[in-house]
Amino acid sequence: MTCRGLFGTYDNALEWLKSSSVKDKPKTILWLGSSLGNFKRHEVPPFLAGFREAIQPGDTMLIGIDSCKDADRVYHAYSKWCCMSSL
């Protein structure tokens, strides 16, 4: 198994997933965080459709979603993780 982290925009990720070097390989996409919560509700289906076009039957995609809107709680949760990950 090979794991790759991508640095770029969502459009960059879709471009990479659709590239000839990747498109026919089995893929599992792990999307941590809840950035979908930053979209307007009507923007989510067309956005996710781009990923549907980038994956093949048998590929998988796991999306982490939360519903916490308490800015202070979210800040402290991610700040703690960021500090721990830099150790």
Side-chain angles (χ1 to χ4, degrees):
M1 174 180 12
T2 302
C3 295
R4 291 188 169 88
L6 300 176
F7 179 76
T9 66
Y10 298 127
D11 292 331
N12 297 136
L14 284 171
E15 183 179 320
W16 181 77
L17 288 167
K18 293 177 183 179
S19 70
S20 61
S21 63
V22 176
K23 69 178 181 177
D24 294 327
K25 295 181 180 178
K27 292 172 281 308
T28 296
I29 300 168
L30 176 61
W31 185 321
L32 298 176
S34 61
S35 53
L36 288 176
N38 296 326
F39 286 82
K40 293 184 172 101
R41 189 177 201 104
H42 70 276
E43 295 172 328
V44 174
F47 174 74
L48 290 177
F51 283 91
R52 181 183 63 226
E53 296 163 4
I55 60 177
Q56 306 296 320
D59 291 342
T60 56
M61 184 173 186
L62 177 63
I63 304 172
I65 299 174
D66 67 46
S67 63
C68 181
K69 300 296 182 191
D70 179 343
D72 190 54
R73 184 174 178 192
V74 171
Y75 171 80
H76 288 292
Y78 284 98
S79 294
K80 180 177 181 181
W81 181 85
C82 290
C83 293
M84 291 175 63
S85 67
S86 63
L87 298 176

